[in-house]
Amino acid sequence: MNPVWLMRMSQWARNPPSAKRVKLVFGIIAIAAVIWGIEWLGYWPEWAKAERIPRKF
């Protein structure tokens, strides 16, 4: 494991994120999961879907 990540983890253990930040992160994850679920079920509108652009060499 990279020593930089060990230092970052130790700092995070000493100074954990606030409850507000944890709620924000979980909220963003929940929104992404809802959007993914709507798209997986087929209810996402066609105009909002991304199209793959073929590469031209």
Side-chain angles (χ1 to χ4, degrees):
M1 181 176 282
N2 194 347
V4 174
W5 284 104
L6 288 173
M7 293 298 294
R8 185 175 291 185
M9 285 188 290
S10 69
Q11 287 177 351
W12 211 24
R14 290 183 198 130
N15 301 316
S18 65
K20 186 177 179 181
R21 179 161 296 204
V22 172
K23 288 178 186 177
L24 174 71
V25 170
F26 281 129
I28 291 170
I29 292 170
I31 290 170
V34 167
I35 290 173
W36 176 83
I38 290 171
E39 185 177 1
W40 184 74
L41 290 172
Y43 294 118
W44 196 254
E46 286 294 323
W47 59 266
K49 290 184 179 178
E51 295 181 16
R52 289 189 179 256
I53 300 173
R55 289 187 180 183
K56 295 179 182 178
F57 289 105

